[in-house]
Amino acid sequence: MNRFKALYIHTPFCRRKCLYCDFYSESKVLNEKDLKKLVLSELSLLNPNLSQFPTVYFGGGTPSLLTPDFFEAILSKVGQFSEVTVEFNPEDVTSEKLKALKEIGVNRISLGIQSLSSKVLRKLGRTQSPEDNLKALESVLSVFSNVSVDLIYGAPGQKADEILEEVDKITEYPIKHLSLYALTVYEETPLSQLVKEKKLELPHEEEVRKSYYEAVEILKEKGFTHYEISNFAVKGFESKHNLIYWKLENYLGLGPSAASFKGGLFWRNYSNYSKYKESLERGKLPIEEREEFKGKELIELKITMGLRLTEGIERKLIPERALESERVRRLIEEGYLEVSEGRVRLGKKGLFISNAVIGELLSAL
């Protein structure tokens, strides 16, 4: 059945933009009533019958700025669901808000701690302290059992042993999921400019690589399954929502800049709140770009997304001539790629440089 399996709602507002963030958001006065009306209007325009989404994810931006009324209005329109995640900034955590969200059906919180180092938080443009982060985590865990935490490694001034200490410390708490992201310096972000001006210095790549592989081992020792390049979970608590992305199943995105995918068709909304609003007020879907994937392009997309998972992809997705090519044989021999039991997956050496390995594989198709 060609139906959506996941719903994503993008909240485009933040108190302030973090130095490294390239997601669409605006530091402006939040008009929650306006956003709620627009998102519900978009859902209605798409199809009033699209009311069953196994997973729902509120991301941003900063969805934790919104009141429980916003989430209740959306969830009341989307039927039954097995996983509902809300991203939270530590500074927005209150016991009252958490309990109210739980009552209306939210059952998973993703807490953006990012770091337990005052120095790193400051360099990333985060305002909370390590103590604030841990206090927020304790509050979330007092209400929710399914809690994910985000940590960043490879940040300016960060040493390998520092992120390992943070991973060790954060997993002393009964969290179920950890996303461990390498800091990416995106063009047109304040961080990029600071690095170019040599006002901030990034760690050497070898130190970042060491951080990643040693953190992977710590998390395995702590009982976490490494199920995706940057994601780790207690068994059974993998992100159901994100698995739909990586397996390239159908998903629907609502809100400014939100992306959707259905049967090979990809589309994205305007990354501009005013244009998003104007379009919906005219009774039109706020789509800025559309692209259809089919044939070889669709296969390449499935390979690119699927190889992010440590279980890899079915071998039959890749032609035998590609697997037998010199460049792919070299990737396998050197441990960057593995082929076994009817599947193709990244080897241990390939995890840290996944984009390069996947690119080399695709060039052999």
Side-chain angles (χ1 to χ4, degrees):
M1 188 175 179
N2 199 20
R3 57 186 288 267
F4 293 110
K5 292 190 175 181
L7 174 64
Y8 173 80
I9 299 95
H10 188 77
T11 307
F13 304 113
C14 289
R15 287 189 180 85
R16 69 198 72 81
K17 285 278 283 188
C18 295
L19 298 179
Y20 56 89
C21 182
D22 80 325
F23 288 110
Y24 169 66
S25 65
E26 298 185 9
S27 299
K28 61 187 290 185
V29 176
L30 169 66
N31 188 333
E32 179 178 316
K33 185 177 179 181
D34 193 43
L35 179 63
K36 177 171 65 177
K37 178 183 176 182
L38 292 170
V39 169
L40 290 175
S41 174
E42 185 182 0
L43 180 62
S44 178
L45 281 172
L46 281 157
N47 189 331
N49 298 318
L50 295 176
S51 59
Q52 297 293 322
F53 296 90
T55 77
V56 182
Y57 194 105
F58 295 89
T62 313
S64 54
L65 287 172
L66 302 169
T67 69
D69 289 343
F70 176 87
F71 302 98
E72 186 172 22
I74 305 300
L75 293 176
S76 68
K77 299 292 184 182
V78 299
Q80 298 180 346
F81 30 75
S82 62
E83 179 187 272
V84 182
T85 303
V86 177
E87 290 182 352
F88 253 82
N89 265 1
E91 61 193 305
D92 298 324
V93 170
T94 67
S95 180
E96 293 75 21
K97 181 177 281 190
L98 291 167
K99 289 176 181 176
L101 290 176
K102 188 174 184 179
E103 286 179 7
I104 61 175
V106 175
N107 55 20
R108 185 174 184 269
I109 298 295
S110 178
L111 188 62
I113 283 179
Q114 314 308 352
S115 179
L116 295 177
S117 162
S118 298
K119 172 185 66 178
V120 171
L121 288 167
R122 188 169 59 252
K123 290 182 177 180
L124 292 176
R126 307 283 291 183
T127 58
Q128 73 269 22
S129 69
E131 293 75 24
D132 293 335
N133 281 339
L134 291 177
K135 184 178 178 182
L137 178 57
E138 290 169 359
S139 295
V140 172
L141 286 166
S142 72
V143 179
F144 288 90
S145 59
N146 191 356
V147 176
S148 179
V149 166
D150 287 356
L151 286 180
I152 288 175
Y153 70 100
Q158 188 183 59
K159 302 296 184 185
D161 58 346
E162 291 174 331
I163 185 61
L164 299 179
E165 288 172 7
E166 292 184 25
V167 169
D168 193 48
K169 186 176 183 84
I170 212 76
T171 50
E172 290 175 4
Y173 293 83
I175 64 172
K176 297 296 193 297
H177 189 281
L178 179 70
S179 295
L180 185 65
Y181 297 118
L183 179 67
T184 302
V185 181
Y186 293 103
E187 289 292 330
E188 299 182 7
T189 61
L191 178 63
S192 174
Q193 190 61 34
L194 289 168
V195 171
K196 287 177 182 176
E197 294 173 357
K198 301 189 187 247
K199 292 179 179 178
L200 285 179
E201 185 178 354
L202 298 173
H204 291 299
E205 184 177 347
E206 179 54 32
E207 186 153 22
V208 177
R209 189 192 68 81
K210 178 183 177 186
S211 300
Y212 174 74
Y213 284 112
E214 292 190 11
V216 168
E217 293 307 313
I218 290 173
L219 286 161
K220 286 180 179 177
E221 289 171 9
K222 293 290 189 83
F224 285 77
T225 298
H226 185 195
Y227 74 100
E228 190 269 347
I229 292 170
S230 303
N231 286 276
F232 307 79
V234 173
K235 189 171 182 179
F237 288 90
E238 298 83 0
S239 171
K240 294 177 182 177
H241 185 87
N242 287 340
L243 281 169
I244 288 166
Y245 294 155
W246 295 318
K247 292 182 178 181
L248 207 61
E249 297 178 302
N250 296 335
Y251 57 87
L252 178 65
L254 304 177
S257 82
S260 304
F261 183 86
K262 186 177 184 182
L265 181 64
F266 171 89
W267 67 94
R268 187 187 299 278
N269 288 345
Y270 286 110
S271 296
N272 178 292
Y273 191 80
S274 296
K275 289 183 178 179
Y276 172 78
K277 181 177 180 178
E278 288 168 9
S279 183
L280 285 168
E281 288 180 340
R282 293 197 310 269
K284 295 182 178 180
L285 287 171
I287 298 172
E288 182 174 28
E289 63 173 297
R290 229 187 265 267
E291 185 174 2
E292 186 171 9
F293 294 87
K294 52 189 176 181
K296 183 181 178 183
E297 288 180 341
L298 184 57
I299 291 172
E300 288 179 347
L301 187 58
K302 288 180 178 179
I303 292 170
T304 300
M305 299 301 292
L307 281 177
R308 293 197 61 85
L309 295 170
T310 55
E311 69 178 20
I313 58 175
E314 292 183 322
R315 177 174 175 152
K316 65 184 181 182
L317 267 178
I318 303 174
E320 283 300 316
R321 59 174 174 73
L323 289 174
E324 293 171 4
S325 68
E326 183 180 345
R327 64 177 59 187
V328 174
R329 284 206 312 269
R330 186 172 66 250
L331 290 174
I332 295 169
E333 290 167 2
E334 295 179 2
Y336 294 103
L337 205 61
E338 294 178 358
V339 181
S340 64
E341 299 174 348
R343 301 191 71 80
V344 178
R345 61 184 67 84
L346 291 172
K348 182 177 179 180
K349 289 173 67 176
L351 292 168
F352 183 70
I353 56 169
S354 58
N355 289 341
V357 175
I358 293 170
E360 188 75 1
L361 174 61
L362 294 180
S363 68
L365 295 184

